[in-house]
Amino acid sequence: TRNPAGPGGVTLLGLGAMGSALAAALLDTGRTVTVWNRTPGRAEELVARGARAAGSVREAVAASPVVVACLLRYPSVQETLGPVAGELRGRTLVNLTTTTPNESRALAAWAAGHGIDHLDGAVMAVPAMIGSREGQIFYSGSRAAYDALLPVLGVWATSEFHGEDAGRASLVDLAMLSGMYQMFTGFLHGAAMVASLGVSASDFAARQVPFLSAMTHGLADYAKVVDGGDYTVPGQQSLDFSDLSHIVRASEEQGVDPTPIAAVQELIARQIAAGHGSEGFPRIYESMRAAGS
Ligand code: FVH
């Protein structure tokens, strides 16, 4: 068994791909690692390497001053932690389950109401990156908990504290993932368009990767215009010029569902209809910034 007198133990609730990786990374730190999973049978390997398997959530929570929840979505966190709120009192809860900003804030309020020190985290890494310097985990919520736990957090990935608003880490994470998935979707839409020519997705990727990589240099320019708030600054591609109806038509002509590009065109058309056609393309930000404007 681990040295009980060593640094504070850590409990991991949730032994999925990510939870298992988080627990495994702690096994060599000399801390007592207690693990629990809803479906039994996921702890064997970790126990063989020195972890302690708890028979219930309550037992798992009672075992350590720090309890990490790495479950699925917010409902699974509520379902798992709700019944053991009393047991969690006086302990630190680190939530690494993906939750929306408001769900993180609701969890923070719930924790505060039960005397639980809550730190919310957003894991910007895949399980294989845990334990290396490759991954990043954003945190927000209790600064005291973050500072006290830095040695533990540092074992998993590089850590960033985003502030006392418990929803911030999740919001930055989800905003970054939104851009990533829209880029993925745009690539796959393009691949669907050229497939009708017999061009393979791999051949298309070989073409798109350098092109999209080069185009990312434009993001900082768009950001400057958005932060400046003046979309009439000369030298920009205008919204009129950016009208993408032809790409929507090209997609439809090929029998390819235009959904992703039609969504972009809808934002452009809204700004043009509002009389901003001569202003820069980044002005679509205004249509998104205040939903529906
Ligand atoms: N895997 C990844 O690359 C991503 C990287 C970014 C962050 N995510 C988030 O991490 C959370 C866990 O993800 P995961 O990959 O470990 O997911 P699974 O392998 O599917 O394991 C899910 C665990 O959650 C347990 N669980 C689900 N529902 C409940 C519930 N109602 N009550 C208690 N536990 C629940 C599940 O238990 P079981 O199905 O084995 O009984 C797994 O332990 C997640 O938020 C990602 O978004 C990972």
Side-chain angles (χ1 to χ4, degrees), residues 176 179-180 182-184 207-224 281:
M176 290 173 74
M180 179 188 80
Q182 290 180 81
M183 178 191 64
F184 290 162
R207 179 181 302 285
Q208 266 297 56
V209 167
F211 176 67
L212 292 180
S213 307
M215 287 303 112
T216 55
H217 300 309
L219 298 182
D221 299 333
Y222 287 151
K224 211 181 305 168
F281 171 77

Side-chain angles (χ1 to χ4, degrees), residues 1 7 10 69 105 147 164 223 235 239 250 253:
T1 56
V10 179
R105 291 169 182 137
D147 292 341
E164 303 266 340
L239 281 158
E253 286 168 4

Side-chain angles (χ1 to χ4, degrees), residues 15 21 27 32 38 66 77 84 95 132 150 167 169 207 210 232-233 236 239 256 275:
L15 298 178
L27 290 176
T32 306
R38 174 183 58 177
V66 178
V77 175
V84 294
N95 175 49
S132 72
L150 257 181
R207 179 181 302 285
T232 65
V233 168
Q236 297 180 74
L239 281 158
V256 172

Side-chain angles (χ1 to χ4, degrees), residues 90-138:
R91 302 178 197 274
T92 299
L93 168 65
V94 182
N95 175 49
L96 295 182
T97 309
T98 296
T99 45
T100 68
N102 282 349
E103 288 168 345
S104 299
R105 291 169 182 137
L107 184 59
W110 173 83
H114 289 281
I116 304 164
D117 202 6
H118 167 249
L119 184 62
D120 217 74
V123 179
M124 300 293 288
V126 291
M129 293 157 87
I130 297 300
S132 72
R133 309 304 303 160
E134 274 180 81
Q136 263 193 307
I137 302 181
F138 300 156

Side-chain angles (χ1 to χ4, degrees), residues 62-88:
S64 315
V66 178
V67 177
V68 181
C70 190
L71 303 167
L72 195 59
R73 291 288 178 268
Y74 188 53
S76 59
V77 175
Q78 290 176 300
E79 193 179 306
T80 303
L81 300 184
V84 294
E87 200 60 60
L88 278 163

Side-chain angles (χ1 to χ4, degrees), residues 262-286:
V264 178
Q265 173 56 20
E266 201 276 326
L267 292 168
I268 293 168
R270 203 187 300 168
Q271 285 296 319
I272 292 173
H276 301 297
S278 62
E279 297 180 47
F281 171 77
R283 204 183 204 291
I284 61 169
Y285 169 89
E286 298 303 327

